[in-house]
Each structure stands twice: as structure tokens, then as C-alpha cells.
Amino acid sequence: MKIGSALRNEGRHFWRGKSLFLLSLPAMIIVFVFYYLPMFGIVIAFKDINYAKGIWGSDWAGLNNFKFFFQSQDAWRITRNTLLLNGLFIFIGIFCSVIIGLLLAELGRKWVRIFQTVLFFPYFLSWVVVGFVTYILLNPTYGVIDKALELMNLTPVDWYSKPGYWPVILTLTYLWKNVGYTAIIFFTGLIAIDPTYYEAASIDGASRFQQIRKISIPLIVPLITLLVILNIGRIFYSDFGLFYFIPRDSGMLYPVTDVIDTYVFRALRVTGDIGMASAASLYQAVVGLVLVLTTNLIVRKFNKENALF
């Protein structure tokens, strides 16, 4: 009886909001087709793929693909690079975005429009375009930076054979392209704060810096927490374009620029080992899920209202 009653209630709820459900139907179909149906491909990670037999006809490999992946020298390297570089991007990126968002909130409307456009523009550029711009700057023979070093009587650097510089180069490139987008999110959160808080603080004699420290930052902490959790959940999913087009797939830079996404792509392109590539991707997804759940649990321990669920 309880199940029948619950189904009737759900039916009535659906009928009352049928317009909204129909409006969301295209998005639900897209999510189902592109996110749920491909999950059947997980089976590839446990198969010894034979193209003649097909996916379902190929022999089971059990955990051999995972064993081969984790016993290789690549597993530790790409895991370390993925975690460290993406962790760097998340925390430095969010810190810079909050600062820029606060600065935008202090500007007048006219200047905000100008700076919004300037900061937001790089986000729409393709990584292919950004890769060529970076190459113009770092080209070891004709690069702008090396030519500038020569003019200052300094030794030019062969950037594409010196791995030590690339964590900084990748971080700066990531910030230039993405920090404006995140800053707009924080700016939107800041302008949604009730102005009466600031008026009351001004009457009490609070300086502008004190208002930012005591009002602005505490009130956008839930937004910061949300973005941190979501980004940590995708910490194992690197921006493929950044790690492939900016270093130009240089083998000498693999020790610091090779991440799981570029490794999987290269495994498919060079070796054609679809089983091991799928095993690496599944490992990536499982660890990402664990990180989301762990981060959310930690946040709940401190403040349940800031947690995702």
C-alpha cells in the first residue's frame, strides 16, 4: 500500500510539473545518452580486446590490464603529475579568482564591463590557439622570450627540453585562460550580498578592508567550498588541451607534463592497447569519485550547510 501511495503521489507531482519536466527532457536525454550508456564500456577494462571478435566476444582478461598498468613505471609518474599539477591549479586558481572577484566588486559598473570582457576573453580561446601563442613565446630559435634574453645578454633557454620550468609555465597558462571565468562566478556571488550589511558596517566605522574581511569573504565561503569540492572531484581529469598542446607532446617533458589523459590518448594512438587505456580511465574515474566523497565528508564534519550532500 505504501509503495502504491508513493507512486500515486509521484504521479500527481509529475503531472503538476509536467511543463518543467518536458523542458528538462532534452537535457536528461543528453545526459543518459552521453554519460550513462557509455558506462557499459567499463567492461573493456576487463577484456583482452580482439577487434575480430568484438568487445563482447573478446576473452576476459580479469585484472591483467590493471596489473600491467600499475606495474609499469608510468603509473606513479602520471598519477603524481595529475594530482600535483591539478591541485596547484585548483588552489592557486581559486585564490586568484577570489582576489579578482573582490577587486571587480569594488569597481564601478563601467569599469566592471571592461575588465569582465578582458578577463573572460581568454576562456573562449582554443588550447590549439593558445599552444601556438605559447610556442611563439618559447620557440628556442625565434621565440620572443629567448630574443629578449639575448638583448639583455642572458643565455637563451631551450624551454622544450628543460622539464623543470614547466610546472610554472603550465600554471601561468592555466591561470591566464581560466581565472577570469571563475572570478566572474565569485563576482556574481559578491554582488548578490545584501547591501544593508555593508551599510551597517559603514555606520559602525568599519573600513572597506574590514568589510571585505568580515562580510564579503565569509558570505562567499559556501561558494568557494562548492567549487573546491567540484574541482577536487575532477582532480584526476586533466585539461587534455593544456597538457597536450602547450608542451607540444615533447617526450623530454613527460616527467612533469604527462598526465592520465595524455597517457591514455598516447596508449590508444601509439600502441592501440584499448584494454590498458580503459583500465587507466576507470582508475581515474574511481579515484575521482572517492575524492569527491572524502572531501564532502570532511566539509560536513566542519559545516553541514557547505557540503554538497
Side-chain angles (χ1 to χ4, degrees), residues 58 98 140 142 215 267:
S58 297
V98 170
Y142 306 106
I215 299 174

Side-chain angles (χ1 to χ4, degrees), residues 277-288:
S278 299
S281 294
L282 182 57
Y283 160 64
Q284 184 182 35
V286 170
V287 173

Side-chain angles (χ1 to χ4, degrees), residues 255-271:
V256 296
T257 63
D258 197 20
V259 291
I260 294 177
D261 293 88
T262 53
Y263 177 82
V264 169
F265 174 75
R266 204 166 51 252
L268 289 170
R269 188 191 65 181
V270 178
T271 66

Side-chain angles (χ1 to χ4, degrees), residues 19-247:
S19 299
L20 293 176
F21 281 111
L22 289 174
L23 189 65
S24 66
L25 187 60
M28 293 170 63
I29 293 172
I30 289 172
V31 169
F32 178 74
V33 171
F34 291 101
Y35 287 88
Y36 282 91
L37 285 182
M39 289 179 70
F40 289 104
I42 290 174
V43 71
I44 297 173
F46 304 94
K47 290 265 191 172
D48 181 13
I49 295 297
N50 184 317
Y51 292 101
K53 295 180 180 179
I55 294 175
W56 301 109
S58 297
D59 298 329
W60 285 97
L63 298 176
N64 286 342
N65 290 323
F66 294 91
K67 183 179 178 182
F68 181 80
F69 171 69
F70 285 111
Q71 286 181 344
S72 71
Q73 61 180 357
D74 301 322
W76 161 246
R77 186 191 74 223
I78 63 175
T79 301
R80 179 201 63 203
N81 291 344
T82 303
L83 284 175
L84 291 181
L85 290 172
N86 284 333
L88 201 64
F89 297 163
I90 290 170
F91 293 105
I92 294 180
I94 287 181
F95 175 79
C96 292
S97 298
V98 170
I99 297 298
I100 294 173
L102 290 168
L103 293 173
L104 287 174
E106 297 300 312
L107 296 174
R109 288 189 176 182
K110 176 184 176 182
W111 290 106
V112 165
R113 291 194 192 98
I114 295 171
F115 281 101
Q116 271 183 307
T117 305
V118 172
L119 291 169
F120 208 53
F121 176 72
Y123 183 77
F124 293 101
L125 294 177
S126 163
W127 278 118
V128 178
V129 175
V130 178
F132 278 111
V133 172
T134 307
Y135 187 66
I136 291 170
L137 295 173
L138 302 179
N139 185 291
T141 306
Y142 306 106
V144 173
I145 293 178
D146 278 352
K147 288 299 180 183
L149 291 174
E150 287 180 2
L151 291 174
M152 292 185 289
N153 295 320
L154 297 174
T155 305
V157 178
D158 187 358
W159 302 99
Y160 289 93
S161 64
K162 303 288 185 181
Y165 295 106
W166 280 88
V168 176
I169 293 171
L170 291 174
T171 302
L172 292 175
T173 307
Y174 174 86
L175 291 176
W176 175 78
K177 191 173 188 297
N178 292 287
V179 77
Y181 175 80
T182 315
I184 299 302
I185 296 175
F186 290 122
F187 170 68
T188 306
L190 287 165
I191 62 176
I193 296 173
D194 191 342
T196 56
Y197 289 122
Y198 298 104
E199 293 170 4
S202 297
I203 293 171
D204 290 337
S207 66
R208 196 60 192 166
F209 178 75
Q210 289 173 324
Q211 292 177 34
I212 291 171
R213 190 162 58 90
K214 297 293 186 179
I215 299 174
S216 299
I217 294 177
L219 289 178
I220 62 168
V221 163
L223 182 57
I224 294 172
T225 305
L226 176 64
L227 289 178
V228 169
I229 293 174
L230 292 175
N231 280 305
I232 287 178
R234 292 189 59 81
I235 197 170
F236 255 55
Y237 289 85
S238 306
D239 194 328
F240 176 81
L242 171 62
F243 289 97
Y244 186 78
F245 292 110
I246 304 302

